[in-house]
Amino acid sequence: MAGRAFVQLSAVLAFLASFVVLFVDIEAAVTVSVGPGQTVLKGNTVVLQCTYSVSTGAQVDIITWSFTSTTEGREVVTMLANTQSVFGTYEGRASITEQASLRIENVGEEDEGTYRCTVKVLSEGSADTKAVDLTVLVAASTPTIISTVNSAARAGDDLTLTCRSDGGKPLPTLTWFNGTQPMETGVEDATTNEAARQVIRDLTLSPVTRFENQASFVCRADQGYPDQLQVQSAEQVLDVQYPPVASISSAPDSSVKETNTLTLTCMVQSNPAASQIRWLKVNGDSSDVLQTGLTTTYVIPKITRSQNGTYRCEASNGVIPRDRESNGQATVNIDVYYAPKISSSFVQPFRVDFGSSLPPIECAAEGNPTPDLQWVQVGTGRTFNNPLSFATMSYGEEGTFTCQASALDFPKDTVNVTIDVKGRPDIIGNRPEAQEFKEGKTAQVVCEIQADPRPSRVEWFLMDSSDNRAIITTGSSYRIIQENLPNGMKSTLKIDSVKPEHSGRYVCKATNTYGEDEQFFDVTLQGSDTTMVIIIVVVVLLLLLLLVGIGVMLAHKRGLLPCKGEPETGKGGRDENVTNEFSIEMADKDKSPTAPLPSRVESSHYIPTPLVAASYEARLSGASFGEPRSPPGEGKPSDGKKVNSPAFPEPTTEEPPVQGGYRGEDGLNNAELELSSRKPASRRPIVEPKDMDLDYPTLRQQTASPYV
């Protein structure tokens, strides 16, 4: 009774304190702060945070927590002078802790609502209140899945799976999964009942197929609080019954060689398992049963071509098929391969005239797969398509031809056909190019002839320029050698020690009972070896001389070689032991014997050499130009004379010189020449011929000087 009285007294004091705070206008001495709203799972413990601060010197007197919901309000706990008073259903579950926080244990659904924390300082007449919300979660029950089919479903039927969750607060969200993949097709919207705290969601499979057999369908319930409430799920593994679905595998393959072993396997998928398997051989609209039972394989040892065809397996398990795909049947076509065999027969041999056409020769063969046919000429290896035919027959197409039938790696089947060509001779090849032979050697001309029968006569001719033919026989320089060949003859013309008269056109002519053929052969003569050697030697020597001459010219031009007999010079730059003789013949322009001669002619002749540039000055001195020219043949020797300068020996003549010179029979005045060796000032002559009243002179130098 005393405790209850204390509680009542505390309530009264709190009321009075609140009244005083409301009507006394004083400055607040306390401030309250609360934490965020809390969510707690039913049955767990929760702490609602509340703290305060007071002014200096103030002291808290009362702390109170109250509860308010949509339907009621009540006191929870009050603490006065460090003494707590707990009210109503909170007794034994609620307490104030951590300054002013509220701790509630074993939270129930009725504890959900708004809680207020109030702190009062009576001495100051001050109080402050803050509110915080509490949400209580209730875990839903494990969802359940209900099927519209009590037992196994049958392929082709519609199937609905219903997922239901009860008791959850808040209501969970239901999601359907096929294995681990979320589903959308066939999933309906959820149906909720808040009052009953129930949610339902359906999955419809329309229709269910054999592929859903043993499929796992999962319903997951999620309340949205993963930290406090686990996601719950339910699983449904479907049992779908369906008729057998069959397929056939063959070993080694559906195409098998004859005499090999064939194994057929019927692979069946069904629920329940097949209760019977039959093997049949299909023959058009009918079929023959080969094997019945539960054996899935059918073996044919050493299969033959007669067992080629269609095979079928049929499986049943008591489930009635609803479509063609699931009728429990499968077929396979077996193709038996066997070696090719030629079925054609031929009348031997085929006789054909030379130059005519060969009618087609058809080669037929049986085999699987269809054989490849071709013709091969024996001996040459030439191949031809089937049927074998030739538009124009020659002896090259005569002989044995083999028809070959081949397929895969089977041995080839063959048959031979002989073609016999009859007719006139045929000389092999077109007209050859001219054949060259060396003079003195042996020439050989070959004429190869095909003919059936062989030529009765082979003749050689030599044609002249008028195309007249002279028959050639063995003897003298010619030899004719005949050689039989399997399909004709070879005639060889040999010419011993070939001479120019053997050059020309030769004719080979072959004749038999059917006709004749001929071919031209041109023979030409090559030069002898000795002639060729001489020509080569001469050409080489000429080339060497040419190269030597070019080398000497280049050496002189570049100053690498001195002039022949070039003398040594003295101190003055000239050789004093050299004797030179020059004569100058000059003809007057008008050839007049009375025309005066020039008293002096100077001529400069420039000779460029690597060592010296010489200027030769010829002076004509002492000549009397006032005297008329003597007639030819008078007063002088008939062969002409010359006057030498003092540097030369005195002339030996009885007639005195004519003032240093004289006229000869040719009417020319011969003058003394003086030779001085010096470097010229320029390369122009002292007196140009064009400056004289003379024709361009004829200069004749006669010299013993080594410089010229």
Side-chain angles (χ1 to χ4, degrees):
M1 294 295 292
R4 181 171 294 182
F6 177 78
V7 170
Q8 292 175 352
L9 178 61
S10 298
V12 171
L13 291 174
F15 176 77
L16 292 175
S18 300
F19 181 81
V20 171
V21 170
L22 291 173
F23 290 97
V24 178
D25 186 16
I26 60 177
E27 184 179 355
V30 61
T31 302
V32 175
S33 300
V34 296
Q38 296 293 313
T39 301
V40 62
L41 182 63
K42 180 182 177 180
N44 289 351
T45 298
V46 67
V47 175
L48 302 178
Q49 298 291 332
C50 179
T51 59
Y52 61 84
S53 61
V54 296
S55 60
T56 304
Q59 184 176 356
V60 174
D61 297 305
I62 301 174
I63 299 174
T64 302
W65 278 95
S66 61
F67 168 77
T68 302
S69 68
T70 57
T71 57
E72 61 175 331
R74 58 181 181 269
E75 294 294 323
V76 178
V77 62
T78 299
M79 186 173 71
L80 178 62
N82 294 327
T83 301
Q84 297 187 22
S85 300
V86 183
F87 305 99
T89 58
Y90 294 101
E91 191 173 353
R93 296 188 302 120
S95 62
I96 295 176
T97 182
E98 298 177 3
Q99 196 181 35
S101 299
L102 176 62
R103 176 186 174 89
I104 304 175
E105 299 177 355
N106 193 19
V107 175
E109 292 185 58
E110 66 278 5
D111 295 332
E112 183 176 271
T114 302
Y115 289 82
R116 297 182 183 276
C117 176
T118 304
V119 179
K120 301 174 184 178
V121 179
L122 296 178
S123 61
E124 300 292 338
S126 176
D128 193 14
T129 300
K130 291 293 190 294
V132 60
D133 293 330
L134 175 64
T135 302
V136 179
L137 305 176
V138 179
S141 62
T142 301
T144 59
I145 298 176
I146 302 172
S147 174
T148 56
V149 179
N150 294 329
S151 58
R154 177 165 291 191
D157 293 343
D158 291 340
L159 175 65
T160 300
L161 300 178
T162 300
C163 179
R164 188 182 73 184
S165 177
D166 296 306
K169 178 180 175 296
L171 292 177
T173 300
L174 302 180
T175 306
W176 279 101
F177 289 82
N178 184 353
T180 58
Q181 299 298 319
M183 299 181 65
E184 295 181 359
T185 303
V187 178
E188 300 178 6
D189 293 336
T191 301
T192 60
N193 187 339
E194 295 287 347
R197 291 188 179 178
Q198 184 182 80
V199 59
I200 296 173
R201 198 169 192 186
D202 293 338
L203 169 64
T204 301
L205 303 175
S206 178
V208 66
T209 67
R210 62 186 177 92
F211 300 105
E212 275 81 46
N213 183 49
Q214 299 303 306
S216 174
F217 292 90
V218 178
C219 176
R220 294 184 183 178
D222 186 0
Q223 290 181 261
Y225 293 91
D227 294 339
Q228 302 182 63
L229 295 171
Q230 293 183 352
V231 177
Q232 303 188 74
S233 62
E235 181 182 16
Q236 178 73 48
V237 178
L238 296 186
D239 182 14
V240 180
Q241 293 185 348
Y242 59 94
V245 177
S247 62
I248 297 177
S249 68
S250 57
D253 200 353
S254 58
S255 299
V256 59
K257 287 185 178 181
E258 194 172 30
T259 72
N260 284 357
T261 297
L262 175 67
T263 300
L264 301 178
T265 301
C266 186
M267 297 178 292
V268 180
Q269 294 179 347
S270 66
N271 185 29
S275 57
Q276 178 179 277
I277 297 176
R278 296 198 310 166
W279 284 96
L280 303 92
K281 173 73 182 301
V282 179
N283 299 310
D285 295 333
S286 62
S287 58
D288 299 327
V289 178
L290 303 174
Q291 181 178 290
T292 302
L294 294 176
T295 304
T296 59
T297 60
Y298 178 70
V299 180
I300 307 175
K302 294 184 178 181
I303 192 169
T304 64
R305 67 190 69 181
S306 63
Q307 293 172 303
N308 201 60
T310 302
Y311 291 81
R312 183 173 70 210
C313 77
E314 297 177 350
S316 60
N317 65 349
V319 179
I320 300 175
R322 296 193 177 184
D323 55 51
R324 187 176 182 84
E325 177 187 1
S326 303
N327 60 4
Q329 298 182 3
T331 60
V332 62
N333 292 319
I334 299 302
D335 196 8
V336 179
Y337 291 155
Y338 52 93
K341 181 66 176 177
I342 295 176
S343 58
S344 301
S345 60
F346 306 99
V347 177
Q348 304 282 353
F350 287 88
R351 299 190 181 278
V352 187
D353 291 336
F354 176 82
S356 64
S357 62
L358 175 68
I361 303 176
E362 183 76 31
C363 183
E366 298 176 352
N368 187 28
T370 302
D372 294 325
L373 297 170
Q374 72 171 358
W375 290 88
V376 180
Q377 187 178 22
V378 176
T380 66
R382 297 166 61 196
T383 59
F384 305 90
N385 294 329
N386 185 56
L388 178 65
S389 64
F390 296 101
T392 303
M393 290 297 298
S394 66
Y395 293 108
E397 283 72 52
E398 183 179 53
T400 301
F401 290 80
T402 301
C403 175
Q404 295 180 345
S406 60
L408 301 179
D409 56 352
F410 287 114
K412 294 180 181 179
D413 191 28
T414 61
V415 65
N416 291 336
V417 170
T418 301
I419 299 177
D420 187 14
V421 179
K422 298 284 186 180
R424 66 167 180 80
D426 180 36
I427 299 177
I428 298 175
N430 298 322
R431 178 180 174 183
E433 296 182 357
Q435 303 179 56
E436 290 185 342
F437 299 97
K438 294 181 179 180
E439 185 177 355
K441 301 295 183 180
T442 298
Q444 181 173 292
V445 183
V446 178
C447 178
E448 190 170 344
I449 308 149
Q450 291 179 328
D452 189 3
R454 284 194 180 93
S456 58
R457 185 172 66 256
V458 178
E459 299 173 296
W460 286 89
F461 301 91
L462 176 61
M463 300 179 64
D464 59 15
S465 59
S466 301
D467 291 341
N468 296 317
R469 299 186 178 188
I471 191 167
I472 298 174
T473 58
T474 298
S476 64
S477 299
Y478 295 102
R479 285 181 294 156
I480 299 175
I481 302 172
Q482 311 286 10
E483 179 184 355
N484 289 333
L485 301 177
N487 59 345
M489 178 180 292
K490 181 170 72 172
S491 180
T492 303
L493 174 64
K494 290 189 175 182
I495 308 172
D496 296 328
S497 185
V498 178
K499 298 180 177 58
E501 58 267 22
H502 293 140
S503 298
R505 175 167 294 176
Y506 291 81
V507 181
C508 174
K509 180 179 180 182
T511 306
N512 68 1
T513 56
Y514 285 88
E516 61 184 28
D517 190 22
E518 63 181 28
Q519 181 65 277
F520 296 139
F521 299 89
D522 291 329
V523 173
T524 60
L525 191 65
Q526 292 181 348
S528 65
D529 293 341
T530 303
T531 304
M532 292 300 297
V533 169
I534 294 174
I535 292 174
I536 293 173
V537 170
V538 171
V539 171
V540 170
L541 291 176
L542 289 176
L543 290 175
L544 289 175
L545 290 174
L546 178 61
L547 292 175
V548 170
I550 293 174
V552 172
M553 292 176 61
L554 292 175
H556 274 293
K557 182 176 182 181
R558 297 181 181 180
L560 301 179
L561 295 177
C563 293
K564 182 178 179 182
E566 185 174 359
E568 296 181 358
T569 59
K571 296 180 180 181
R574 59 185 296 179
D575 188 358
E576 299 177 352
N577 297 322
V578 176
T579 301
N580 295 312
E581 291 185 356
F582 287 84
S583 66
I584 299 177
E585 294 180 359
M586 305 189 67
D588 290 348
K589 181 177 180 181
D590 53 2
K591 305 300 181 179
S592 172
T594 59
L597 293 176
S599 62
R600 184 180 181 86
V601 175
E602 293 185 355
S603 176
S604 176
H605 180 64
Y606 176 68
I607 303 176
T609 69
L611 303 177
V612 62
S615 176
Y616 299 94
E617 182 176 355
R619 294 181 176 87
L620 183 62
S621 61
S624 177
F625 295 95
E627 299 177 0
R629 294 182 181 177
S630 302
E634 292 184 3
K636 54 188 173 298
S638 61
D639 54 351
K641 295 180 68 176
K642 61 181 179 181
V643 178
N644 296 308
S645 65
F648 294 92
E650 292 295 329
T652 55
T653 178
E654 295 179 359
E655 295 184 9
V658 184
Q659 296 184 359
Y662 62 88
R663 292 185 179 89
E665 292 179 353
D666 51 2
L668 296 177
N669 187 27
N670 295 292
E672 172 187 275
L673 298 179
E674 291 185 3
L675 175 62
S676 66
S677 177
R678 65 184 180 183
K679 294 183 180 179
S682 83
R683 296 186 179 183
R684 290 181 55 84
I686 297 175
V687 178
E688 293 289 349
K690 63 182 179 179
D691 296 332
M692 302 179 186
D693 189 17
L694 301 171
D695 277 335
Y696 289 97
T698 300
L699 174 63
R700 182 176 69 241
Q701 296 183 355
Q702 296 178 353
T703 178
S705 172
Y707 290 97
V708 181

